Amino acid sequence: MSNAFFNVPKAINEPVKSYAPGSEEKKSLIETYKKMKNQDPIEIPMFIGGKEVRTNNKQSISSPHDHKRILGSYNVGDSKHVQDAIDSALNAREKWANTPWQDRAAIFLKAAQLLSGPYRDKMNAATMLAQSKNVYQAEIDAACEMIDFFRFNVQYMAEIYSQQPISSPGVWNRLEYRPLEGFVFALTPFNFTAIAANLCAAPALMGNVVVWKPSQSQIYSAQVIVELFKEAGLPDGVVNMVTVGGKEAGDVIFNHKEFAGLHFTGSTTVFRNLWKGIGNNLEKYRSYPRIVGETGGKDFVVAHKTAKPSHVATALSRGAFEYQGQKCSAASRAYVPDNIWEEVKEILVKQVSSFKMGSPEDTNNFINAVIDSKSFNNIKNYLDYSKSSSEAEIIVGGNCYGDEGYFVEPTVIVTTNPSFKTMVEEIFGPVLTIYVYNANKFEETLDLVDSTSEYALTGAIISQDRESIRLASKKLVNSAGNFYINDKPTGAVVGQQPFGGARGSGTNDKAGASMNLLRWVSARTIKETFDTPSDYKYPFLG
Ligand code: NAD
């Protein structure tokens, strides 16, 4: 019974713990990390309809920074498991869609509370161990951002539900925000544990059922997410996790009549192919599927001649290299005017050279490993290409060490060609390319920033001069979905900087905002008349 209009708790951002030397939180997290690292290898099942499903095909999981140590394995499924996951989701659909919204809200608020407390260390340690994030990067992602997604989305859901049409005399008009008819496919990337959880949780909160395929490099923390959802009370079958190849999952899902929506974050190429596949199958579906995809970036920092060199250098060293540059928002191309370049260069090289690199277990390490051998080789190829080019010079970094972990030195390339390969393509590693421009050609440089890449995710202007900030904001209006003034282009916070980009970077439905939640509902308008006409004749007929 819901004999009241309930107010949801006002969402506030989860405070980020400091993990300063000697702090209780640091001691406790590192203990959990060591325990998980040294325990017997674990085996991660698929979770379909609340059941743990295992197969004879096991794939091992190791730490990117210690790739010979096996942490465990996951069960590789096939198309039958994908079909089972769809069936389980559809079986759960009616009951979940009819579950009162306050109960759905309570489940995700409880998940936030559990993660803020007893699950915090486990989620962070899993992310550090198997995705190679340092303590701070794990905390802002796996703990704080995930908690914020759950709490803010509950508030946005309540706001959406309260948006109602006006009524006229004798009539009551209502809007009902129905979940989509069918199931949602959540296809998630390796680089943010919070994104993986949110791509499932956002549609589920709005009453949808979900088939989830995590990235194979994020399965270790994915099982903690499933545990968290279960303990928070999410009914069986609402979120079903399958660990299968992406193509195998897609072949079953995109041919299914009840496929109602794709919630994707990952690379642009994969997203474009998925969209084409869905387009080709349109006649097979009951409804037009919702397609939400946040994809790649080639994020810029442009400095004006009035910028302070230390501001520019720090926006670059933090913006480009945190989490080894494996953030879709990471600064990867920069435009620095020649009047301040020598000073920027000196500070930047000094900062980057002081970074320590190694395992996240040693909290002095700012830089950890890149995710896997494929990524390591891909980044190395870009570095080799740059080393052999007469248009590029590496001013710091440039080496890769793959024996123990997939370590790539944070690297700064300076190029004389603003269209140099590494100024244009997404590398997704700790590589920043800088083009030094004539300080008097600011406006022309802004045109260059706008036209160099197919992406439009994040970007920043660093300047002390208001007019130049205004000009950059105007000329770069379509170059970034998240635009920063005098700050690095990373670190968006839920509720504060809704996140997403346009052009090749995605559909810009802003994760963790009500815009995103609206994609997971299909409104029904209800008109009820209290004075029902009983004669067809209008007054004008005399
Ligand atoms: P990815 O595209 O390789 O993988 C994403 C997901 O798609 C994974 O689960 C993967 O298994 C699956 N997949 C891959 N090929 C598939 C296919 N043919 N059919 C079906 N599924 C397939 O991306 P990634 O390496 O995990 O993540 C990095 C990428 O994600 C980068 O491009 C980054 O910019 C982007 N990203 C964007 C945002 C954003 O908000 N814009 C956030 C995080 C990451």
Side-chain angles (χ1 to χ4, degrees), residues 304 306-308 311 462-469 486:
H304 184 251
T306 58
K308 287 196 178 160
H311 291 176
I462 315 280
S463 172
Q464 297 281 92
D465 167 65
R466 202 67 226 172
E467 208 171 309
S468 68
I469 293 172
N486 288 324

Side-chain angles (χ1 to χ4, degrees), residues 501-517:
R503 293 187 182 162
S505 292
T507 54
N508 201 13
D509 288 293
K510 301 289 187 204
S514 61
M515 278 175 268
N516 177 283
L517 298 188

Side-chain angles (χ1 to χ4, degrees), residues 42-44 55-62 70 72-76 216 219 243:
I42 60 166
E43 197 210 301
I44 301 171
T55 67
N56 292 327
N57 187 359
K58 317 277 182 208
Q59 185 73 41
S60 62
I61 298 177
S62 56
I70 302 297
S73 61
Y74 66 90
N75 287 268
V76 183
Q216 63 170 38
I219 290 172
T243 45

Side-chain angles (χ1 to χ4, degrees), residues 161-457:
Y161 286 175
S162 70
Q163 287 171 29
Q164 294 295 324
I166 56 164
S167 295
S168 50
V171 167
W172 186 12
N173 294 320
R174 307 191 291 268
L175 261 187
E176 182 178 44
Y177 295 88
R178 301 169 302 180
L180 305 182
E181 204 179 359
F183 68 92
V184 172
F185 181 31
L187 188 55
T188 62
F190 80 82
N191 65 334
F192 277 90
T193 307
I195 292 180
N198 183 51
L199 296 199
C200 302
L205 176 67
M206 302 309 283
N208 295 280
V209 288
V210 178
V211 174
W212 173 28
K213 194 210 86 61
S215 157
Q216 63 170 38
S217 314
Q218 189 262 322
I219 290 172
Y220 198 86
S221 58
Q223 55 120 25
V224 188
I225 295 173
V226 175
E227 247 178 73
L228 175 71
F229 284 165
K230 196 166 177 65
E231 186 159 350
L234 193 70
D236 292 345
V238 174
V239 172
N240 304 274
M241 183 182 104
V242 287
T243 45
V244 300
K247 200 179 161 312
E248 260 166 314
D251 284 348
V252 180
I253 285 167
F254 300 132
N255 280 298
H256 201 287
K257 184 179 176 190
E258 306 288 336
F259 166 61
L262 170 67
H263 205 188
F264 176 83
T265 297
S267 58
T268 298
T269 318
V270 170
F271 185 54
R272 285 184 178 144
N273 284 331
L274 300 180
W275 194 314
K276 280 185 218 159
I278 294 167
N280 286 335
N281 285 341
L282 273 187
E283 289 81 5
K284 294 183 182 164
Y285 307 134
R286 187 193 292 282
S287 319
Y288 296 103
R290 300 289 167 89
I291 304 178
V292 174
E294 297 304 331
T295 68
K298 189 70 195 172
D299 310 297
F300 60 84
V301 172
V302 54
H304 184 251
K305 62 186 177 190
T306 58
K308 287 196 178 160
S310 61
H311 291 176
V312 179
T314 306
L316 293 176
S317 60
R318 282 187 170 175
F321 300 119
E322 284 182 303
Y323 191 39
Q324 297 75 262
Q326 299 170 116
K327 297 188 183 191
C328 48
S329 55
S332 61
R333 55 184 172 122
Y335 302 78
V336 181
D338 52 10
N339 65 314
I340 56 168
W341 167 238
E342 282 310 320
E343 254 187 287
V344 171
K345 179 178 171 182
E346 192 186 325
I347 304 168
L348 181 62
V349 169
K350 201 167 156 200
Q351 289 188 353
V352 175
S353 310
S354 72
F355 292 165
K356 291 198 168 64
M357 183 164 74
S359 161
E361 187 173 341
D362 176 351
T363 55
N364 290 310
N365 290 326
F366 188 66
I367 303 291
N368 313 112
V370 299
I371 195 72
D372 57 18
S373 61
K374 190 169 156 230
S375 170
F376 178 84
N377 292 329
N378 180 44
I379 300 166
K380 190 171 179 309
N381 285 341
Y382 278 103
L383 297 182
D384 291 345
Y385 176 85
S386 305
K387 283 176 193 166
S388 66
S389 168
S390 60
E391 294 179 325
E393 183 199 356
I394 291 180
I395 58 167
V396 61
N399 298 308
C400 304
Y401 310 94
D403 286 348
E404 191 185 332
Y406 303 114
F407 291 108
V408 178
E409 277 182 351
T411 301
V412 180
I413 300 168
V414 178
T415 182
T416 51
N417 173 7
S419 302
F420 189 65
K421 198 176 165 70
T422 62
M423 286 294 278
V424 178
E425 295 175 14
E426 184 184 51
I427 302 173
F428 222 59
V431 181
L432 166 70
T433 309
I434 296 176
Y435 174 68
V436 181
Y437 73 92
N438 177 336
N440 297 319
K441 296 205 166 162
F442 180 62
E443 196 162 349
E444 294 89 324
T445 303
L446 295 178
D447 289 329
L448 205 54
V449 173
D450 180 56
S451 59
T452 296
S453 132
E454 63 174 326
Y455 301 107
L457 190 50

